Amino acid sequence: MVVLIKILQLLLSLSILVIIHEFGHFAAAKIFKTKVEKFYLFFNPWFSIFKFNYKGTEYGLGWIPLGGYVKIAGMIDESMDKEQMKKPPQPWEFRSKPAWQRLIIMLGGVTMNVVLAIIIYVGLLAHYGEEYLPTQEVNKYGIVADSLAREMGFRNGDKILTIGGKKVTDFQKIPMEIVLNEAQTATVLRDGKKVVIHFPEGSLRQLIKQKSPYFLAPRIPFVAGNFTKNSAAKKAGLEVGDTLLGINGKYLKYFDAFRQEVQKHKNQTILLIAKRGNDTLRLKVHLGSDGLLGVYPKSNLNDFFHLNQKKYNLIQAIPAGFERTWAGIGNYLKQLKLIFSPKVKAYENVGGFITIGNIFPAQWHWESFWRLTAFLSIMLAILNVLPIPALDGGHVLFLLYEIIARRKPSDKFLEYAQIVGMVILFTLLILANGNDIIKLFKH
């Protein structure tokens, strides 16, 4: 069921993105009275699931859900319609239009994707507002570092002051700050003293590869939230809401410290100290061979921290939506830069449709769906504007050449360029989805 929900979210998101992108080309072509022969969601080699004609354009649904397309008359595109190009140019064809009009038509798709991202962010901010956990709040108790974070130099209880010399107000953006800005240092408060951590060589590569949501987590007191089926602590009398304070006279304030300590007492009876209201409890708990108390900690961040919340009306959400989109474009460009970094080798972790599908939540959640769709819309816009033949950016590159040099590249050159571009795209597609398949077998 989880897989099905992720697939359905992915297909709906991609459908929205493709239709909006192709509509951008379609609308610009219609404005300049250029004939659009086909408008398809998904690809349709050999047959279509359904199709119909309206005012000279064939609209349809293909059966390969990898994208979509509009076929504009008189244009060398992925259809490779050479027969049409042999005929004399007609006034309604793409090739007959001035270069500036063709440029606008080619930029129509990416423009619409950026506009869609802005609209989504405006809507999300106006409806949900924004909420985040301030790093300053986390510093009340400090952090819990996973194994990779400890290899990088972080320690449980560290209070993060700066990353790469820069303060990060949103705690959950710290891993992104490290990766996207290729930070080499962090400054933390450890046992009351400032400590500068220098990340070892290869840390960024490992962080990108791991993709762990628990790289750095907020440290929290151990308050009983729930119990396992055969909980040793529950049998001893512990109740939901009790605060655990220590074991065998050893004061332990945080959940991570308890987790480490109980593992030292497998198959032993311990004296668990806890607090219930104003009462201090001393409970004898016999641990099994797994060395677990059988207690889930209360993990709702609102119980321990003051989250930063901000509400927007529609007027306030509009500039904030533009700002979010602009920041998203900048962040994605930094991600592309990392792919070509020989030190980081981020290309090893480039993913295809399985990776994209996995970023969607296991349960249908509209806020998450629209946030991810906005991100994918920005991603689609940037990828399409890359100067690769067969992408919009390739066509834009040749059109800019035409405008500057005042002469068009030959149709034969454009045909060959289209073929080269399609080979590059298929290679990238195989690389990305091949990485996904390799990861599946590794797991």
Side-chain angles (χ1 to χ4, degrees), residues 175-235:
M176 185 185 295
E177 181 68 28
I178 294 173
V179 170
L180 294 186
N181 292 321
E182 300 184 59
Q184 301 298 317
T185 63
T187 303
V188 302
L189 197 63
R190 182 180 297 166
D191 299 324
K193 297 179 182 178
K194 279 189 181 181
V195 176
V196 178
I197 299 169
H198 295 272
F199 303 145
E201 188 74 25
S203 295
L204 296 187
R205 182 181 173 188
Q206 286 299 112
L207 185 53
I208 293 170
K209 188 176 181 179
Q210 178 176 284
K211 300 178 184 176
S212 171
Y214 308 109
F215 167 67
L216 297 174
R219 205 177 201 189
I220 56 173
F222 194 176
V223 179
N226 210 339
F227 299 99
T228 59
K229 187 177 180 181
N230 298 308
S231 168
K234 186 177 181 181
K235 288 177 183 177

Side-chain angles (χ1 to χ4, degrees), residues 340 382-398 417-418 420-426 428:
F340 300 101
I382 293 173
L383 291 178
N384 261 283
V385 85
L386 293 177
I388 299 174
L391 289 177
D392 296 345
H395 292 284
V396 168
L397 181 66
F398 297 138
Q418 188 74 14
V420 170
M422 290 174 71
V423 169
I424 292 172
L425 290 182
F426 277 119
L428 293 173

